[in-house]
Amino acid sequence: MSQRIPVGVLGATGRVGETLLHRVANHPWFELTEVGASEQSAGKRVGDLLDTNSLPTEVADLTLRRLDESWESPLLLSALPSGVARDVEADLAGRGHLIVSNASAYRADPGVPLIIPEVNPDHLALLEGQRERWSGGIVTNPNCVVAGVALALAPLHRSFGLTRVAVTTYQAISGAGRPGPAAFDLVDNVLPFIAGEEPKIAAEPRKILGGVTGSSATPAAFPVDATAVRVAVLDGHLTAVSIECEDRPSVEAVTHAFRSFRGEVAELNLPTSPSEPIVVLEQDDRPQPRLDRDRGDGMTVSVGRIREGEAFHISFLALSHNLVRGAAGAALLNAELCRARGLVGDA
Amino acid sequence: MSQRIPVGVLGATGRVGETLLHRVANHPWFELTEVGASEQSAGKRVGDLLDTNSLPTEVADLTLRRLDESWESPLLLSALPSGVARDVEADLAGRGHLIVSNASAYRADPGVPLIIPEVNPDHLALLEGQRERWSGGIVTNPNCVVAGVALALAPLHRSFGLTRVAVTTYQAISGAGRPGPAAFDLVDNVLPFIAGEEPKIAAEPRKILGGVTGSSATPAAFPVDATAVRVAVLDGHLTAVSIECEDRPSVEAVTHAFRSFRGEVAELNLPTSPSEPIVVLEQDDRPQPRLDRDRGDGMTVSVGRIREGEAFHISFLALSHNLVRGAAGAALLNAELCRARGLVGDA
Amino acid sequence: MSQRIPVGVLGATGRVGETLLHRVANHPWFELTEVGASEQSAGKRVGDLLDTNSLPTEVADLTLRRLDESWESPLLLSALPSGVARDVEADLAGRGHLIVSNASAYRADPGVPLIIPEVNPDHLALLEGQRERWSGGIVTNPNCVVAGVALALAPLHRSFGLTRVAVTTYQAISGAGRPGPAAFDLVDNVLPFIAGEEPKIAAEPRKILGGVTGSSATPAAFPVDATAVRVAVLDGHLTAVSIECEDRPSVEAVTHAFRSFRGEVAELNLPTSPSEPIVVLEQDDRPQPRLDRDRGDGMTVSVGRIREGEAFHISFLALSHNLVRGAAGAALLNAELCRARGLVGDA
Amino acid sequence: MSQRIPVGVLGATGRVGETLLHRVANHPWFELTEVGASEQSAGKRVGDLLDTNSLPTEVADLTLRRLDESWESPLLLSALPSGVARDVEADLAGRGHLIVSNASAYRADPGVPLIIPEVNPDHLALLEGQRERWSGGIVTNPNCVVAGVALALAPLHRSFGLTRVAVTTYQAISGAGRPGPAAFDLVDNVLPFIAGEEPKIAAEPRKILGGVTGSSATPAAFPVDATAVRVAVLDGHLTAVSIECEDRPSVEAVTHAFRSFRGEVAELNLPTSPSEPIVVLEQDDRPQPRLDRDRGDGMTVSVGRIREGEAFHISFLALSHNLVRGAAGAALLNAELCRARGLVGDA
């Protein structure tokens, strides 16, 4: 890249926004120049709201802008809550910005690409059709569970043709935002309900692993059932995944499919891209959230306990860092893909 | 019952054994007269090994016997580790005792009944065939996860004919015995492997919900897949269960099947039997281990979040107390059933 | 008591209020007839706001009243937040009610008794002087840490004359009310600050162990330093207490002082009074919050690890249930004392 | 340093030993050439016993030696359990090695220096007197709590003259070694006893802050009382410290003393030495174990909540990483000091 292009971060003070600030600061391609937050926070310094122990001074010194102000940066990374995102993102896309969003507001919109760069970068073609709606555009990344699950399913769907999927989760606290669940509810307990989560886990993998027809995404056909549960873990969503395929694959074939997966865009060397998108762990008792969530700087999905079953063909565990691969890192990787593809800045 | 009959407890100092001591003390039908433990503990007082805050003095004062001594009680409740149980239980059954065991050693033996009184009390008929092996007999109860899952599946199998089942668990620490997992491994973490657990969860429900042909149990046909994970909860195993049936049932039909289930032996009024074997909770975020594990004095299975899916017909959550419904209470209820059926003592 | 007298509970939906509802329901001396809460909750049924699994139906069916309505009950138990309590309690005391309050608003007022019935029931004499301010009156109980610490210090002050005290706490989550600290802040962590707590721990024991001169409490002279820390425990405040005395007492003398302490009002047989206000545990590793908090139905203080030191004469650990001995049980015991002393109802 | 000198690590497979391996690998002054462990582990590869995700291959490939073998390295770092350390360390010191030990075996020996390089490097003079006992020598570092507490007390003792100290701890699980406390004992609980800990906390700061007379350490005079409690934190010991001084210092004076402390050996630029040995945090609720333990790569002590009291002059909180500043980093820093002082290798 010839020079760094300016980017703004919307929703900078939540957990995902904060993670974005850390990762955009010192980014080789992007320069963090604008940050926005809700009306209550607007006008304050970033450093007055976040623990600045590890934030660079120039980021801590940025003043939070209102979301409805005019923004300079052609590229805006959105970590907004979904309720706010619907209007704000459309408004800013209408004003010519490319919005790369972690919010769920437009993920299910057939005209908005839902992208994992290693899996379906071709879905960026949907931006063409957005021209009728907005002078800019919106690109989204998946839900924090789906980010890891869909990445793990990708090589299996390509190799064996998924016909049925079940996902049960052990989700970390940080996925619930601030302040998140009360300590009183998670000591000696798990919380077996996460509002709005299961329908996303059921729908988003199908869109990601599906195709694009004209200006619409066309989801893959396999049904997905999900059970989402919160556990007393800080970061890292563990998932138990079971699959049925057109042909029953062996454990060896599945392991090989995981291990040989390099992703669609390896040749682009995107800065946030891990050297291995998926790692297969051989120990009986891995992946574990605390031990494996930071693999690949939080961008690698750790897979383990691949085994054959009777109700399904194959079951396995997959773990990914919900704030990185599942949110901030996912958005940033999408932004990098957009720049590498010349959709923003001087690629 | 005309008078209390003497019982012994084998493996009295483990977590399950200790729970048994509390429940057999003051039992209306049984009198705790003998307790046994491993060679290292033999000769010591119960009160020297266990926290005696709530144990009756007469129990605390019992001296632990060696397992290979001769025992007086016709009925022996076994909370032995499985490795030890295989030889000890056969030896004592051969000497004429009725062993009601929580150990897994004989659960898979086609000639040994694996019983949940509310579900398959008729499997006691297998004791007939045991006469060729032992002058006494062995009756087992299921694994701590299966105890709750198979009970919940029973009315569904009867009503709708199960064709496929998947179980994913959130298992409590106490299920791992003493000392159990290290704190270092469960703070900010879950442990996604429990040795030997998944095959039991796959096999035992089929035996319980199957039939008896002559002197052999004949398992039901539906396949079961299981994923077993340990979480930072003291007591209470939560399970996410998904089922496919011969005919797709509605949420209402499943709810009704749960609610109308009374169990096979309600008319016996067994002392440990809960008034409701299964309770359906309506709140979105229940059952929760800490809030619901003690329902029905630990013997009721709490069910919730019944919902239709696409990969399966129905998914739901089930919770039961692993030390009570899943172990000590299960064995005790089996012992009560045996007595009520005249298999031991003067019924 | 000839018959149950009606009582109202102010602030019924917080953690302390809820505990009060459970304990006043079925109380031998009191009948729960009125409940009040903040404006947002007023008009709703108790059963719509609290988990009613164990609340009697007649309590669940009570409708929450506004705090500024007129109340029938001569005796009102207050579990209000302190900010609200200042005005509401004065207003209701001015209208003739006897307020027995857990709130901190009037604890430091020299004209308001701060009472632990086993320790300083004579401080009720301060109610005399309140006649100039209110036609009713206000009686308070201590802070949730102080309730246990001051009770433990009482026999030591009487026997040895305290000259210096240091208290360091391990406080439970439930003491922070609803929702309390976020799970994210207490997993793999402790929170070394509790707003407003340390000054209360420093001041209240001196008032309780001091005297009454005319219409004013006169605090004891010994200085108290406190450090208050929140830990990942549900209920039960553990405290490390160190004391210096006029004469250095031996471990045996301190143990004897604890064990022989029966409290000032044992002869009244107050219903909430435990048979032993203080229990000394001999095991090296006790008291522990989870194992010992429920002793004496939550009203007994468990003491352990009594040992001599060099910087202080004696150090020990004390544990008490923060919602019971430290709040709801404390207020209820004070209400019982008031009734037994004829200050309300037909004693 | 002209070139790296070879070092061996004794007790390489415990938590402290493992931390040492990570820190000695790639050390600028030392080359890890030998590792030793108990008889059961001897003969195995390091990589077969430890999680090797982050260990360099050349360390993972080292074979564990028996402790009684002959060792090549002049400098041996000991992370042995204290029971083993007494004989092994004396034996190896007798064979000419310089033992830099984290074990407690010789800490209280008046002829063995107990050193924090920033505080009492002059105590190395005691090695002179060791010549009569061993041809090599033994240097120790303090207990994991004392490492942080004595460092924090050092500038206060120098500036104000300590006359009385009290320490109450919130200690992390990793301090208990492998496997450490059971999860069942630390969920919803704290463990108020750590065998052997309190006497060390009482004695070691006095030796460190005392002097050396001839061949004996002469402890400082101030008495120290300690209460040691284990909490559900992975790493990082938090301590509540209270002090009385010859003259009552102000909060400002204490803060200044902490902030201006640079340590005795700053000019040596020891590789493991943090740029700031002590950092004062200004937020009300800091230091917190999870947020502050890694400051200064685990070697900085974080201090906060400095405040005046009545029973003591000043109270404050201090936090340090128990495996780094409290163990492996402490030993390594001592080894660096020894090399810089020419006590081993070609300084």
Side-chain angles (χ1 to χ4, degrees), chain C residues 164 169-170 198 225 310-311, chain D residues 164 169-170 225 305 310-311:
Chain C
R164 189 194 303 234
T169 73
Y170 303 77
E198 291 166 1
D225 279 356
E310 293 182 59
Chain D
R164 190 194 301 238
T169 74
Y170 304 76
D225 278 356
R305 303 204 63 228
E310 294 182 58

Side-chain angles (χ1 to χ4, degrees), chain D:
Chain D
M1 299 297 142
S2 51
Q3 59 173 70
R4 300 204 298 164
I5 64 168
V7 306
V9 169
L10 312 174
T13 59
R15 287 200 202 285
V16 175
E18 184 177 10
T19 307
L20 264 175
L21 296 188
H22 281 272
R23 298 209 161 222
V24 177
N26 304 313
H27 192 279
W29 294 2
F30 302 131
E31 182 178 5
L32 181 61
T33 53
E34 295 171 309
V35 291
S38 65
E39 227 163 307
Q40 306 97 281
S41 302
K44 296 183 182 152
R45 276 178 71 250
V46 167
D48 293 338
L49 294 174
L50 298 180
D51 190 339
T52 56
N53 284 321
S54 53
L55 275 184
T57 313
E58 62 270 25
V59 175
D61 282 343
L62 289 171
T63 299
L64 290 157
R65 305 158 57 86
R66 295 168 52 110
L67 299 169
D68 56 5
E69 286 183 39
S70 79
W71 294 72
E72 298 283 332
S73 313
L75 176 61
L76 298 175
L77 300 174
S78 166
L80 292 170
S82 212
V84 175
R86 177 156 290 282
D87 288 345
V88 170
E89 293 183 3
D91 175 49
L92 289 167
R95 289 198 253 151
H97 298 278
L98 178 63
I99 314 296
V100 177
S101 175
N102 179 61
S104 64
Y106 291 96
R107 282 188 210 141
D109 186 317
V112 173
L114 175 61
I115 291 194
I116 299 174
E118 292 95 335
V119 176
N120 63 335
D122 53 302
H123 287 206
L124 280 179
L126 289 172
L127 285 173
E128 281 297 317
Q130 287 186 16
R131 295 285 156 79
E132 295 170 22
R133 300 160 77 179
W134 305 306
S135 56
I138 301 180
V139 173
T140 63
N141 59 267
N143 163 278
C144 53
V145 167
V146 175
V149 168
L151 184 58
L153 290 177
L156 309 185
H157 190 48
R158 301 283 142 86
S159 300
F160 315 114
L162 296 172
T163 55
R164 190 194 301 238
V165 175
V167 178
T168 307
T169 74
Y170 304 76
Q171 291 183 236
I173 300 165
S174 64
R178 291 206 172 91
F184 195 82
D185 292 332
L186 270 181
V187 170
D188 184 17
N189 208 16
V190 302
L191 290 174
F193 181 66
I194 302 176
E197 194 78 354
E198 291 166 359
K200 291 175 195 158
I201 301 175
E204 295 183 11
R206 298 172 59 175
K207 180 170 178 183
I208 294 165
L209 297 176
V212 166
T213 308
S215 58
S216 275
T218 49
F222 57 85
V224 182
D225 278 356
T227 299
V229 175
R230 186 84 61 197
V231 296
V233 166
L234 293 167
D235 296 310
H237 288 351
L238 179 72
T239 53
V241 183
S242 294
I243 60 166
E244 194 175 64
C245 304
E246 286 162 18
D247 297 305
R248 173 184 279 270
S250 67
V251 167
E252 292 68 32
V254 167
T255 303
H256 177 75
F258 283 139
R259 289 214 160 122
S260 57
F261 180 75
R262 280 295 158 269
E264 295 294 315
V265 293
E267 76 288 353
L268 296 178
N269 287 314
L270 303 179
T272 297
S273 192
S275 60
E276 300 174 293
I278 300 172
V279 163
V280 178
L281 304 178
E282 307 224 320
Q283 298 100 311
D284 262 354
D285 60 352
R286 301 287 277 268
Q288 290 180 23
R290 197 179 80 224
L291 303 185
D292 297 306
R293 63 194 171 202
D294 290 326
R295 197 179 302 279
D297 203 19
M299 288 299 288
T300 291
V301 177
S302 298
V303 166
R305 303 204 63 228
I306 306 166
R307 59 206 193 281
E308 294 186 33
E310 294 182 58
F312 283 94
H313 291 161
I314 292 285
S315 291
F316 62 90
L317 298 174
L319 174 84
S320 56
H321 195 301
N322 56 298
L323 288 182
V324 185
R325 171 56 80 174
L332 190 52
L333 193 61
N334 277 349
E336 293 166 0
L337 176 67
C338 289
R339 179 152 200 221
R341 288 282 162 88
L343 297 167
V344 68
D346 59 332

Side-chain angles (χ1 to χ4, degrees), chain B residues 247-272:
Chain B
D247 298 306
R248 172 184 279 270
S250 67
V251 167
E252 292 68 32
V254 167
T255 303
H256 177 75
F258 283 138
R259 288 213 160 121
S260 57
F261 180 75
R262 278 297 157 268
E264 296 294 316
V265 293
E267 77 287 354
L268 296 178
N269 288 314
L270 303 179
T272 297

Side-chain angles (χ1 to χ4, degrees), chain A residues 204-217:
Chain A
E204 295 183 9
R206 297 171 61 175
K207 181 172 178 181
I208 295 165
L209 296 177
V212 165
T213 308
S215 58
S216 275

Side-chain angles (χ1 to χ4, degrees), chain B residues 110-112 125-126 128-130 132 212-217:
Chain B
V112 173
L126 290 171
E128 282 297 317
Q130 288 185 14
E132 296 170 21
V212 165
T213 309
S215 58
S216 275

